[in-house]
Amino acid sequence: QVQLVESGGGLVQPGGSLRLSCAASGRFFSIYAMGWYRQAPGKQRELVAVINSGGRTNYADSVKGRFTISRDNAKNTVYLQMNSLKPEDTAVYYCNADLLVDTMRRTYWGQGTQVTVSS
């Protein structure tokens, strides 16, 4: 059984900061990649940031320079540090993990956490 446990969402003012956390737990052999996606009302789910097993990161153009993804390998945890937040960052943020489970590569999703940027 594999679970992704998210935390850190909430309400923040424009220009403020927030940090999301996602911990993978359960029976898996290794992590290929972990990342964050978001979905705003009326829009498609989009990639925000991802970090792979080699430490390479990729970001959506809209968050480059403001968001930073990082990981703690010992805790199987990925973080998303969000700075200089804008109202357009408001969305449900979903943790994603690409894991080796048994002999299969599987993708798992967190339950989603609401991030609201408003004055």
Side-chain angles (χ1 to χ4, degrees), residues 35-81:
W36 293 92
Y37 291 70
R38 68 186 181 187
Q39 188 166 22
K43 295 186 177 181
Q44 293 184 322
R45 187 174 299 186
E46 64 174 351
L47 174 69
V48 178
V50 63
I51 184 166
N52 70 12
S53 60
R56 177 177 289 188
T57 59
N58 287 299
Y59 297 91
D61 288 341
S62 60
V63 307
K64 287 181 179 177
R66 300 188 297 119
F67 291 10
T68 302
I69 189 168
S70 61
R71 67 186 183 187
D72 185 333
N73 291 333
K75 297 180 179 180
N76 293 323
T77 298
V78 65
Y79 305 94
L80 185 67
Q81 179 66 46

